[in-house]
Amino acid sequence: MKRPVKSVVVLTGAGISAESGIRTFRAADGLWEEHAIEDVATPEGFARNPQLVYRFYNERRRALQVPQVKPNPAHLALARFEQRWPGDFLLVTQNIDNLHERAGSRRVIHMHGELLKMRCINTNLVFSTREDFDFDTECRCCRNVGNLRPHVVWFGEIPFQMQEIYQALERCDLFVAIGTSGNVYPASGFYQVARQHHAYTAELNLERTGSRFDEHLIGKASAIVPAFLDRVLATALAGC
Ligand code: BV8
């Protein structure tokens, strides 16, 4: 670590939820293997074939809610760290699942939205949902059909709460990326913003990605995240 750590930003990607049974994107059996990104995760794909996109998200929403899908030790370690950390802490996730919240994390920014929410394209009002929905589902605001879309950020759309994220990145002393391939911008550039502001950066991932962090820890998130966070906390409490 370059200096005493007071402010921490953690970015998570699909890899942190893999051991909970949620499919990642670029693995051999990944989500993008069955669908082209442009068909299921762009506004143009939604306009072209809304039923395919509704079905893609309805299937993932159902898969998220089966009993065997639950937070794993990496999610739980992050929630515990947030409770015990004496300084500033922000968890930014690219994931649209709710496993961080179910693990007990309280301050979570879902920069790419949430699977268990839908949005009216007419009023921009957001509603929680655990059910399937599609073109024929009436929105609760306009009482019309055809207005509802998944409350997720598609390619070509602007991620949520970017100003708050960049402010936290510019202030942090430690930036940690967990379970992300670093393929999607702007999340893939966060570690560089942190480095430019002299933060120490660490990548915890199953494999080394092309990004240049100060530290690379290779392993499964549930195995390496708890010990890493314990080390960060012990170092800070020892006043190093
Ligand atoms: C934007 C929600 C402007 C939907 C998602 C050309 C070049 C560069 C960039 C672009 C370009 N053309 C266009 C762009 C921009 C584009 C982009 O990056 N495209 C890519 C394809 C090149 N980005 C956008 O359009 C973004 N918007 O740029 O707006 C802007 C910018 C800044 C400020 C204002 C405006 C919007 C992108 C959002 C897209 N929506 N998700 C949905 O989920 O369906 S992206 C989706 O894919 C995820 O959210 C996530 O972000 C991404 C997948 O990445 P990962 O999470 O990393 O998952 P992946 O499978 O790739 O990797 C998993 C990793 O975990 C692996 O490394 C693996 O080894 C590891 N792992 C696996 N198991 C474990 C593990 N690690 C630990 N333990 C394990 N057990």
Side-chain angles (χ1 to χ4, degrees):
M1 312 281 176
K2 293 176 179 171
R3 58 180 185 243
V5 177
K6 292 184 172 54
S7 169
V8 178
V9 175
V10 172
L11 170 71
T12 60
I16 198 170
S17 297
E19 291 161 89
S20 297
I22 305 259
R23 290 165 70 184
T24 63
F25 290 84
R26 287 171 185 80
D29 61 345
L31 278 162
W32 301 140
E33 289 313 300
E34 281 167 25
H35 298 285
I37 286 180
E38 54 274 7
D39 291 339
V40 292
T42 64
E44 296 76 15
F46 183 59
R48 199 168 43 245
N49 186 347
Q51 284 308 8
L52 171 66
V53 175
Y54 284 124
R55 197 164 58 241
F56 177 63
Y57 288 95
N58 287 340
E59 284 166 5
R60 289 169 68 188
R61 191 173 307 105
R62 269 186 249 132
L64 173 57
Q65 299 179 82
V66 300
Q68 60 270 34
V69 169
K70 48 185 179 291
N72 65 54
H75 294 108
L76 296 167
L78 278 167
R80 198 167 51 246
F81 182 83
E82 178 185 20
Q83 284 153 13
R84 298 161 64 192
W85 182 249
D88 291 330
F89 176 74
L90 176 64
L91 173 57
V92 181
T93 186
Q94 299 171 88
N95 301 339
I96 61 176
D97 65 55
N98 64 342
L99 295 176
H100 284 305
E101 288 83 357
R102 286 173 57 191
S105 288
R106 284 198 293 273
R107 189 173 172 218
V108 185
I109 290 183
H110 282 272
M111 65 177 290
H112 290 161
E114 297 175 69
L115 193 50
L116 299 183
K117 291 184 177 170
M118 57 188 176
R119 186 167 84 238
C120 173
I121 53 179
N122 193 29
T123 62
N124 269 330
L125 286 178
V126 175
F127 304 97
S128 294
T129 180
R130 290 183 172 277
E131 311 301 325
D132 288 5
F133 68 92
D134 62 17
F135 184 87
D136 300 322
T137 306
E138 197 179 271
C139 61
R140 295 171 213 166
C141 37
C142 320
R143 294 272 174 241
N144 278 340
V145 298
N147 282 350
L148 290 168
R149 63 163 279 179
H151 184 55
V152 300
V153 178
W154 285 324
F155 290 96
E157 295 185 322
I158 299 176
F160 297 136
Q161 298 178 256
M162 288 305 295
Q163 189 179 355
E164 186 180 352
I165 294 170
Y166 281 124
Q167 282 171 354
L169 290 170
E170 289 164 7
R171 276 199 310 264
C172 76
D173 308 302
L174 172 63
F175 175 76
V176 189
I178 301 172
T180 180
S181 62
N183 279 298
V184 174
Y185 179 81
S188 54
F190 287 174
Y191 85 100
Q192 288 157 322
V193 176
R195 276 174 75 100
Q196 282 156 12
H197 290 80
H198 316 300
Y200 184 82
T201 59
E203 176 182 66
L204 282 64
N205 206 57
L206 201 55
E207 65 205 352
R208 193 164 173 141
T209 67
S211 305
R212 284 188 14 263
F213 287 77
D214 294 303
E215 184 175 1
H216 293 266
L217 283 176
I218 305 301
K220 287 189 171 185
S222 61
I224 63 176
V225 170
F228 174 80
L229 293 175
D230 284 348
R231 171 159 63 95
V232 171
L233 187 64
T235 308
L237 295 181
C240 306

